[in-house]
């Protein structure tokens, strides 16, 4: 019986290693009443502080794929819109459940309950060093070039234990552009599955 239980546990653990993982993004997007033309052409805009950032071109390449998925076309010489991007990854120490340490209500350990040859036990376990989590944030501001007015603004955030921005940033830009160009009002959760 113990052997069967061990094999089932091992099979369950191994099945969790493949497949997909979920990027649960908190998204807030706002569109103005100005219609965004289908197949609209855009160019990327950089703030002076972004001009020398080596990651700027990488973030633009990631966002370009997401913008193409919603029907916008990059055309630097004949652009109708400009797209201003933001992307940030911030590590932080977290408790066992992923809450930031030092936050009111956050904890520094976990309750452990177990049984052994000496009987049942209850204890308070500590994880040192605490695990590192990552807060990802992307933003996109779409501006109508002839008028200079912002016509679309969106932001998506995700907190998780993974440090692989090459997979998570594309998922966040996809989530940020969900329901483009007519997003629902308020903050909503958008789930995107990506390979493990």
């Amino acid at each position: 019986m113990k052997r069967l239980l061990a094999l089932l546990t091992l099979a369950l653990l191994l099945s969790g290693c493949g497949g997909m993982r979920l990027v649960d993004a908190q998204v807030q997007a706002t569109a103005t009443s100005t219609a965004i033309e289908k197949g609209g052409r855009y160019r990327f805009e950089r703030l002076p502080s972004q001009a020398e950032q080596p990651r700027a071109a990488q973030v633009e390449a990631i966002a370009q794929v997401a913008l193409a998925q919603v029907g916008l076309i990059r055309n630097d010489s004949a652009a109708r819109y400009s797209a201003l991007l933001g992307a940030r990854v911030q590590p932080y120490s977290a408790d066992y459940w992923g809450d930031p340490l030092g936050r009111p209500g956050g904890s520094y350990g976990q309750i452990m309950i177990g049984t052994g040859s000496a009987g049942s036990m209850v204890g308070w376990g500590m994880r040192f060093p605490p695990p590192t989590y990552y807060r990802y944030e992307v933003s996109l501001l779409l501006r109508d070039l002839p008028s200079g007015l912002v016509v679309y603004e969106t932001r998506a955030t995700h907190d998780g234990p993974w440090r692989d921005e090459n997979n998570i940033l594309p998922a966040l830009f996809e989530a940020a552009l969900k329901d483009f160009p007519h997003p629902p009002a308020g903050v909503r959760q958008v789930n995107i599955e990506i390979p493990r």
Side-chain angles (χ1 to χ4, degrees):
M1 183 66 178
K2 286 185 180 183
R3 182 178 231 177
L4 178 62
L5 184 59
L7 286 173
L8 287 174
T9 303
L10 180 62
L12 182 63
L13 289 173
L14 290 176
S15 69
C17 293
M20 306 296 278
R21 64 180 158 152
L22 187 68
V23 176
D24 53 339
Q26 301 304 310
V27 176
Q28 184 168 15
T30 306
T32 63
S33 59
T34 305
I36 299 172
E37 62 187 45
K38 189 164 179 72
R41 298 174 312 275
Y42 70 93
R43 69 175 187 223
F44 287 115
E45 174 185 349
R46 291 187 190 175
L47 296 173
S49 61
Q50 297 171 320
E52 300 301 319
Q53 289 183 356
R55 274 189 39 193
Q58 177 188 6
V59 171
E60 288 173 357
I62 291 169
Q64 184 172 336
V65 172
L67 288 164
Q69 290 174 343
V70 296
L72 295 178
I73 301 162
R74 183 174 180 181
N75 186 330
D76 292 349
S77 61
R80 164 75 190 265
Y81 305 103
S82 70
L84 178 63
L85 306 175
R88 186 172 69 164
V89 181
Q90 182 177 8
Y92 63 90
S93 295
D95 68 12
Y96 184 73
W97 296 276
D99 290 327
L101 291 177
R103 183 187 74 146
S107 64
Y108 291 86
Q110 58 183 321
I111 296 176
M112 296 183 293
I113 302 172
T115 59
S117 60
S120 297
M121 297 171 270
V122 175
W124 184 259
M126 303 296 278
R127 260 184 102 169
F128 289 107
T132 299
Y133 271 59
Y134 300 90
R135 178 170 180 82
Y136 292 86
E137 181 177 340
V138 299
S139 62
L140 184 143
L141 194 74
L142 199 61
R143 186 183 308 275
D144 178 67
L145 289 172
S147 68
L149 298 175
V150 172
V151 293
Y152 199 84
E153 179 183 5
T154 185
R155 176 177 315 277
T157 60
H158 167 74
D159 287 77
W162 303 298
R163 170 85 180 150
D164 60 341
E165 58 192 73
N166 291 335
N167 291 314
I168 294 179
L169 290 179
L172 280 183
F173 275 112
E174 181 183 343
L177 289 166
K178 178 84 169 138
D179 300 316
F180 177 88
H182 305 292
V187 178
R188 68 193 191 281
Q189 182 169 314
V190 176
N191 296 327
I192 304 291
E193 288 188 341
I194 61 174
R196 286 193 180 272

